[in-house]
Every structure is written in structure tokens, then in C-alpha cells.
């Protein structure tokens, strides 16, 4: 069985938290439990400008919505479906690695 995963185009994450909300609702997580969390990183670049990056970060609870997909309800995880910036991709590891070559700042999560 091929490994599945998520690929994030971190360059364009807007920090909308749609992935986080979708995951919480899909898994009925309480307020302090996360399947995916958006981490805000703030730093000063060498040219003196401040940069804010929003990085979607799957936690150990992320199952890639295995039950959702196995049931035939959808063909992709809830976070992918609800990402407003369309920066999350789901698929097999090999496909995601190829797609990552097209992105400026890719981040890969494999399960």
C-alpha cells in the first residue's frame, strides 16, 4: 500500500484556520485538541522588514481523515477540502514529492 500524505505550499498560507476548524469538526475534537494547527511565525528579515508566516502543522492525531475517505464520503481529508487558499494537497508520497518541486516553500507530511 502506497504511503499517503499532505503537501503544504507554506508560501501562500493566509492563516485563515479553515483547516483547523474543519479538522476539529470532522473529528469532534474539544477546544484543546488539534489534528492540525496553524502556527504563526514572526521574524525580522536581514533587510529589517518583519515577516509573518503561517505554517499548517499536522499533529500526531492527524489520520488524514482515513475513516472519511474509507467510507466513500469524500476522496480527500477535510482540511484539504476546506482550505480557502487551496494550498494543501493530498495524495501518494511519490506524487506529492513531484508536486513539491513546483512549489516555492513546500512542506510534506507523510503518514
Amino acid at each position: 500500500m502506497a504511503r499517503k500524505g499532505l503537501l503544504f505550499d507554506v508560501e501562500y498560507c493566509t492563516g485563515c484556520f479553515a483547516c483547523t476548524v474543519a479538522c476539529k469538526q470532522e473529528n469532534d475534537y474539544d477546544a484543546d485538541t488539534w489534528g492540525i494547527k496553524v502556527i504563526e511565525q514572526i521574524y525580522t528579515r536581514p533587510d529589517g522588514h518583519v515577516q509573518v508566516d503561517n505554517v499548517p502543522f499536522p499533529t500526531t492525531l492527524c489520520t488524514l481523515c482515513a475513516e472519511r475517505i474509507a467510507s466513500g464520503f469524500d476522496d480527500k481529508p477535510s482540511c484539504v477540502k476546506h482550505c480557502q487558499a487551496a494550498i494543501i494537497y493530498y495524495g501518494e508520497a511519490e506524487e506529492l514529492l513531484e508536486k513539491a518541486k513546483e512549489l516555492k516553500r513546500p512542506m510534506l507530511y507523510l503518514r
Side-chain angles (χ1 to χ4, degrees):
M1 182 172 172
R3 270 181 99 176
K4 299 280 188 177
L6 297 172
L7 175 65
F8 302 89
D9 189 352
V10 176
E11 181 71 13
Y12 298 105
C13 179
T14 62
C16 71
F17 295 90
C19 58
T20 301
V21 173
C23 180
K24 281 184 172 287
Q25 290 178 343
E26 178 73 28
N27 295 290
D28 198 28
Y29 290 147
D30 63 35
D32 297 324
T33 305
W34 311 89
I36 187 169
K37 193 172 188 177
V38 177
I39 299 169
E40 184 179 73
Q41 295 180 328
I42 303 171
Y43 56 94
T44 304
R45 299 187 320 211
D47 63 7
H49 288 91
V50 173
Q51 181 160 338
V52 178
D53 287 338
N54 296 290
V55 181
F57 187 81
T59 71
T60 56
L61 295 178
C62 177
T63 65
L64 301 176
C65 290
E67 287 182 27
R68 173 190 181 92
I69 293 168
S71 73
F73 179 75
D74 203 347
D75 61 347
K76 56 190 160 201
S78 188
C79 62
V80 177
K81 180 175 182 160
H82 295 284
C83 177
Q84 294 179 22
I87 61 99
I88 308 174
Y89 305 91
Y90 169 74
E92 294 184 10
E94 295 79 21
E95 295 169 353
L96 295 175
L97 285 169
E98 282 302 310
K99 176 72 178 168
K101 294 175 184 176
E102 304 169 13
L103 306 178
K104 188 173 179 182
R105 292 175 53 208
M107 184 182 80
L108 184 61
Y109 170 78
L110 296 175
R111 182 108 178 112

